[in-house]
Amino acid sequence: MFVQILGSAAGGGFPQWNCNCANCAGFRDGSLRAKARTQSSIAISDDGVNWVLCNTSPDIRAQLQGFAPMQPGRALRDTGISAIILMDSQIDHTTGLLMLREGCPHQVWCTDMVHEDLSTGFPLFNMLTHWNGGLTWNQIELDQCFSIPACPNLRFTPLPLRSAAPPYSPHRFDPHPGDNIGLIVEDLNTGGKLFYAPGLGKVDAPLLEIMAGSDCLLVDGTLWDDDEMQRRGVGTRTGREMGHLAQNGPGGMLEVLEQLPEQRKVLIHINNTNPILDEDSPQRAELDRRNVEVAYDGMSIVL
């Protein structure tokens, strides 16, 4: 299984276009050693030719241009995109569908909750019907694994995760299973398993056991501290209120990952305020000490 990190930042990317926090300002003036990052999205393939997008960020055009297999050049109009899986209905994970309109129709896998959000409050499914029929919905059933014809050697198992629906969701303050999912992706040839969860608000014992059975954990790295955005003066909500488990503190992501010594551990969906973006920060040194990696745009993983 080939896993390509197309984008590794949270909503807004890094540096965020309207932000002058210490990280963003430091990157712009050259005083911060860090990599620029686009908004979170990955691509998965079992043959390196046909690719499944997991989320379509607003930066999708630049991400596709930066990854050569996405334009194999086999025909006058061509793409390496064979299917799309949406983990949630958030703007930073779905707006890229609008940028892909010239390639419609697209096969899209998502839960009924995500489909509802994208047919009502943010009606992408409705809007894109005007381009070659738009998006074909393939429903993800939360209690069933599924396969995608273009990548027959991959098996996808959805995991309902505790998180928050976006502001335009009809049930914004009434969370439903399926608002946000993680995925176990298994290569049926190699046996390699990926656990992918860019939005993860809580890890309970059953989920920890599932994570322990995976070879690589690609998990929520949004914030270092739960009140980080408040303390940096760029927001009013905590990480938990937004459906993200911070790395630091009791019960945080680092404590969770410490219980899983055998897995490769990679943080993704990193907010522009997170000090781990600073490659010289003590927080980054702590990740290095714990053998926890920080995803970056263009990172490749083979399982």
Side-chain angles (χ1 to χ4, degrees):
M1 172 174 21
F2 304 94
V3 182
Q4 184 72 13
I5 310 300
L6 301 175
S8 53
F14 175 70
Q16 184 170 308
W17 66 276
N18 67 336
C19 185
N20 289 298
C21 70
N23 280 349
C24 293
F27 180 85
R28 292 192 187 97
D29 67 21
S31 63
L32 188 84
R33 192 166 67 93
K35 294 181 176 69
R37 288 170 164 84
T38 59
Q39 295 166 93
S40 177
S41 179
I42 70 170
I44 304 174
S45 175
D46 61 0
D47 60 6
V49 177
N50 298 292
W51 293 85
V52 177
L53 292 186
C54 293
N55 294 331
T56 56
S57 92
D59 302 312
I60 190 66
R61 185 179 180 279
Q63 292 170 349
L64 298 181
Q65 187 173 350
F67 184 47
M70 286 302 183
Q71 184 44 264
R74 299 164 296 191
L76 184 61
R77 294 288 179 96
D78 199 10
T79 180
I81 302 170
S82 296
I84 298 166
I85 298 174
L86 301 177
M87 313 291 287
D88 55 47
S89 55
Q90 300 285 349
I91 278 180
D92 49 318
H93 287 161
T94 60
T95 309
L97 290 168
L98 294 171
M99 318 310 171
L100 299 177
R101 62 191 180 278
E102 296 89 353
C104 287
H106 293 292
Q107 296 290 325
V108 176
W109 272 257
C110 65
T111 66
D112 56 350
M113 289 294 99
V114 170
H115 183 256
E116 178 184 334
D117 288 348
L118 298 182
S119 302
T120 54
F122 188 27
L124 293 180
F125 273 87
N126 307 352
M127 294 161 60
L128 287 168
T129 57
H130 301 284
W131 281 268
N132 241 5
L135 310 175
T136 300
W137 179 37
N138 299 267
Q139 185 176 4
I140 294 177
E141 300 279 1
L142 295 178
D143 57 352
Q144 296 179 18
C145 61
F146 63 97
S147 61
I148 291 175
C151 295
N153 297 311
L154 299 181
R155 180 167 60 200
F156 299 86
T157 303
L159 304 167
L161 301 177
R162 181 176 177 180
S163 192
Y168 42 79
S169 173
H171 53 272
R172 166 67 166 173
F173 300 107
D174 180 22
H176 285 58
D179 286 339
N180 179 279
I181 63 168
L183 284 175
I184 293 289
V185 187
E186 181 179 4
D187 188 313
L188 300 178
N189 284 335
T190 67
K193 284 187 180 182
L194 171 73
F195 175 87
Y196 177 51
L200 184 55
K202 180 180 180 181
V203 179
D204 56 18
L207 185 58
L208 185 66
E209 186 175 349
I210 291 171
M211 294 169 70
S214 302
D215 301 296
C216 180
L217 308 173
L218 191 54
V219 295
D220 193 332
T222 307
L223 302 173
W224 179 260
D225 290 306
D226 189 51
D227 62 349
E228 179 177 304
M229 295 184 69
Q230 296 171 328
R231 289 191 293 104
R232 295 213 175 196
V234 297
T236 60
R237 302 172 66 205
T238 66
R240 290 183 186 275
E241 288 171 343
M242 294 185 292
H244 297 288
L245 181 62
Q247 285 108 64
N248 193 31
M253 187 66 76
L254 290 185
E255 280 195 2
V256 170
L257 296 179
E258 195 72 15
Q259 302 174 65
L260 302 165
E262 304 300 323
Q263 285 70 29
R264 183 176 179 183
K265 307 160 190 176
V266 185
L267 299 175
I268 194 170
H269 195 270
I270 303 151
N271 199 58
N272 65 88
T273 56
N274 194 327
I276 66 174
L277 291 169
D278 179 355
E279 297 176 15
D280 298 317
S281 67
Q283 291 86 353
R284 189 63 170 265
E286 179 65 13
L287 294 186
D288 291 342
R289 186 184 72 80
R290 293 174 180 254
N291 293 316
V292 176
E293 301 172 64
V294 179
Y296 55 88
D297 294 18
M299 183 181 194
S300 299
I301 298 170
V302 180
L303 298 172

